[in-house]
Amino acid sequence: MVDVVDMDGAVSACRQAITSRQATQHVVLNAGKVVLMRDDPELKRIVGDCQPVHADGMAVVWAGRWLGVPFPERIAGIDLMERLFHEAEREG
């Protein structure tokens, strides 16, 4: 469900979605959203339908590592957006 990538991988996934012009809904996952998903089937469905999904919160990263999923780092949504803005500016 959650993509195991670093920031460069997240940027690459977003760039691929943009260049392919496929309809895409990106989501970042933190502990609060995971808790809400337990009691909100609609939110759980929405997150489940999203691609890509990145680990935004450190609690998700730590839990993943504890469960054997080696998330290399936290992909904060705001940091990813900033990187994408820089990419867009660089490419004009």
Side-chain angles (χ1 to χ4, degrees):
M1 175 183 204
V2 183
D3 298 299
V4 181
V5 296
D6 60 9
M7 180 61 81
D8 289 337
V11 170
S12 178
C14 291
R15 287 178 55 94
Q16 181 179 352
I18 292 165
T19 58
S20 71
R21 298 191 178 271
Q22 292 178 346
T24 303
Q25 184 172 350
H26 173 265
V27 69
V28 291
L29 198 59
N30 59 29
K33 200 173 290 175
V34 170
V35 170
L36 289 173
M37 288 168 53
R38 288 185 1 198
D39 297 324
D40 186 338
E42 179 66 6
L43 178 60
K44 185 176 182 177
R45 184 195 63 74
I46 290 168
V47 171
D49 288 347
C50 290
Q51 185 60 31
V53 178
H54 295 121
D56 184 334
M58 281 309 297
V60 174
V61 172
W62 293 330
R65 290 176 183 167
W66 184 72
L67 294 169
V69 179
F71 294 115
E73 66 180 305
R74 171 180 176 246
I75 309 295
I78 191 67
D79 295 339
L80 176 59
M81 181 174 281
E82 184 177 353
R83 282 279 304 272
L84 292 172
F85 285 154
H86 287 294
E87 292 282 324
E89 180 180 35
R90 184 176 58 80
E91 292 190 19

